[in-house]
Amino acid sequence: MSSIDAVIARSRRPGEFSERKQFTVARARGIQKMRKFALADPNYYILKLIQAAIANDAHYIDIQVDRSDCTFAYIGGGLRQYELAQLFDFLFASKDRTDIGHVRELALGINAVLLFEPEAVIIESGDGTLRGTTRMVVHGSHDRVEIGTPQRALAGTYISIQGMKRDKSYPERPVECG
């Protein structure tokens, strides 16, 4: 089985944590404002995920999307535990910081997808070792995040977005008159 096949197979049978930490999303007001206005259309979250993967040196990407779920997997780069633990802090990072561009794009995409009030967003990324693999679960309805070490190692990255409410109405962007 090739590396991407293993990542895709894992995304279809996500496991549980072997250890975890919990925290709530900080700076909630700023993050929520960015959620509403960072992208012209919240459906562009998928473009941000693709940009994040490419900036993270992905050499193979697999995307499966249906009405309420999205599974996005790629091989390349990878995300470190501190990047996932501080994911929403990267929303405020400068675009000039190309060294963290992949995490900033991921943060923008994940933050936008939260407008769809998913049941859960699971991100797992690793270098093929258990020590180098991190699992993050965002419980959409509670803005609660769990992060830790999964039960098994993974070589690659997957993002599983479950239970999106795509039929929600979204706030209009402010119109600028000039």
Side-chain angles (χ1 to χ4, degrees):
M1 184 182 304
S2 72
S3 296
I4 190 64
D5 292 335
V7 174
I8 293 168
R10 175 78 163 270
S11 72
R12 292 182 181 148
R13 294 185 321 274
E16 297 293 326
F17 289 102
S18 65
E19 74 175 65
R20 79 176 101 201
K21 299 175 190 173
Q22 290 188 16
F23 59 93
T24 56
V25 177
R27 294 161 311 287
R29 291 181 90 163
I31 291 169
Q32 287 178 349
K33 288 284 186 192
M34 289 193 74
R35 188 173 298 161
K36 292 177 182 175
F37 301 111
L39 302 179
D41 181 334
N43 289 294
Y44 293 167
Y45 76 89
I46 197 71
L47 296 176
K48 290 297 178 186
L49 298 182
I50 292 168
Q51 289 171 336
I54 291 169
N56 199 15
D57 298 325
H59 56 267
Y60 186 91
I61 298 172
D62 182 78
I63 304 169
Q64 296 177 7
V65 179
D66 66 26
R67 186 79 185 132
S68 63
D69 299 328
C70 172
T71 302
F72 184 91
Y74 69 92
I75 299 298
L79 300 159
R80 294 173 181 81
Q81 184 170 4
Y82 79 88
E83 292 171 331
L84 290 175
Q86 304 300 320
L87 183 64
F88 296 106
D89 290 343
F90 288 92
L91 289 169
F92 305 102
S94 170
K95 290 181 182 181
D96 296 336
R97 295 278 315 271
T98 57
D99 59 319
I100 59 171
H102 65 289
V103 188
R104 183 178 183 282
E105 295 299 313
L106 176 64
L108 287 167
I110 296 300
N111 200 40
V113 87
L114 291 176
L115 280 172
F116 295 112
E117 298 177 4
E119 294 168 11
V121 177
I122 302 167
I123 303 172
E124 212 169 290
S125 186
D127 62 7
T129 67
L130 188 57
R131 183 179 174 109
T133 303
T134 301
R135 177 183 176 84
M136 175 181 169
V137 179
V138 179
H139 300 278
S141 60
H142 308 302
D143 268 351
R144 192 181 84 231
V145 178
E146 295 178 306
I147 191 155
T149 304
Q151 294 173 325
R152 297 183 317 246
L154 178 69
T157 300
Y158 78 83
I159 301 163
S160 176
I161 305 163
Q162 304 167 353
M164 287 185 280
K165 298 176 183 99
R166 290 187 184 269
D167 54 350
K168 280 189 53 73
S169 61
Y170 301 100
E172 294 293 322
R173 292 183 57 98
V175 177
E176 294 183 22
C177 299

